[in-house]
Each structure stands twice: as C-alpha cells, then as structure tokens.
Amino acid sequence: MLTALSRRLSFSVSSSYHVRTVASAASRPRPPPAPPSVQRARPSPRATKAVISITPHAVQRLRDLLQGPTPRSIRIGVRNKGCAGLSYHLDYVDKPGKFDEVVEQDGVRVFVDGRALFSIIGSEMDWKEDALSAKFVFNNPNIKDACGCGESFTVGTQP
C-alpha cells in the first residue's frame, strides 16, 4: 500500500511540475509589443462669427437701458405674427434661457432665443429715432418677403 501511495504522490508531484513548466512565462514566446498609441491633437475652439452684429447706436441705447433703475438685458426672439408670418419680439430678462445664444459686443450682452437662431443669424441690430418713433431695427439678409408696414417677415430657403 505504501508503494501505491508513493507512486500517486510521485505522479502528482511530477505532473504538477510538468504543468508549471508549460505554464511558465520563460517557456512561451512573448507576444510582440503593442504599437505606440497615436496621440491626436485636440481641436481648439475657434472664434466664430456672432449670431447678430450690433451697431454703435444700438450699443449706446442698450447701455442706457442697463444703467436704468432696474438693469436688465434684452432677449431677442421671433413669434408667429403679422401678415408675412414672423415678427421680432424683444423681452427684458435677467439671465439667459437654457438654449439662448449670448452675443456680447462692446461690453453689452444680448440674448438670442435658440428657436429664433435660423431666422436671425447674420442680422444687424440698429437703433433708429425719428420724429414719430424710436425703435430697434433689424437688417436681416435672410428675409425673403415682408409685409407692407414692415412689422412681419418671412424667411425662406434659397432655390
């Protein structure tokens, strides 16, 4: 019985030794080293053109509004109104909305409603005063049609 136990013991020792030899790192060929990873340069933020430009007269009028007893900013938007379809809408606000675009020029900030961006982009905001009225005027290159009184406009796609 002792001889059978010693055979088992020697077999198990030799087989575990054999397994260790096969599993050792020195006996296996090493895989080729990984190629160095390519580091791509991260894109840097580029200066973009503002959604609207503001004339010096409009900047001065906006500064006057901000120096009033309740300083507030202006938010520009469009609404479905008038005979041509869209009309500019100005609101006094304290802070921008979630999707508003902030336009800062000459120290004056104006917020543009995110839903109005496609209708307003590329426009120029001006302040006009005459004997009968004083108002902000928008020179918009995207206007395809306007009503006779000039209160509403249509923005269309170019053919």
Side-chain angles (χ1 to χ4, degrees), residues 83-84 86-88 135 137-138 143 146-153:
C83 27
L86 298 172
S87 177
Y88 294 106
K135 61 183 176 179
V137 178
F138 294 89
I143 292 178
C147 68
C149 65
E151 288 294 320
S152 62
F153 62 94

Side-chain angles (χ1 to χ4, degrees), residues 25-67:
S27 66
R28 277 188 289 166
R30 291 185 179 172
S37 63
V38 177
Q39 295 292 330
R40 293 185 181 175
R42 290 186 172 205
S44 61
R46 290 182 265 159
T48 58
K49 187 176 179 182
V51 174
I52 63 168
S53 60
I54 306 171
T55 64
H57 293 298
V59 168
Q60 185 57 45
R61 179 61 183 155
L62 290 169
R63 278 194 187 128
D64 293 343
L65 290 172
L66 289 173
Q67 292 172 358

Side-chain angles (χ1 to χ4, degrees), residues 62-126:
L62 290 169
R63 278 194 187 128
D64 293 343
L65 290 172
L66 289 173
Q67 292 172 358
T70 56
R72 299 174 112 187
S73 296
I74 287 188
R75 181 175 186 224
I76 304 169
V78 294
R79 290 200 173 161
N80 291 333
K81 183 179 170 186
C83 27
L86 298 172
S87 177
Y88 294 106
H89 182 75
L90 302 176
D91 279 330
Y92 290 112
V93 294
D94 295 323
K95 60 183 180 177
K98 186 175 182 179
F99 299 108
D100 287 357
E101 184 79 21
V102 179
V103 176
E104 189 164 349
Q105 183 177 325
D106 299 329
V108 174
R109 289 183 0 166
V110 174
F111 309 127
V112 179
D113 186 1
R115 295 173 294 209
L117 284 176
F118 291 113
S119 304
I120 293 178
I121 195 162
S123 297
E124 179 187 61
M125 181 179 182
D126 195 9

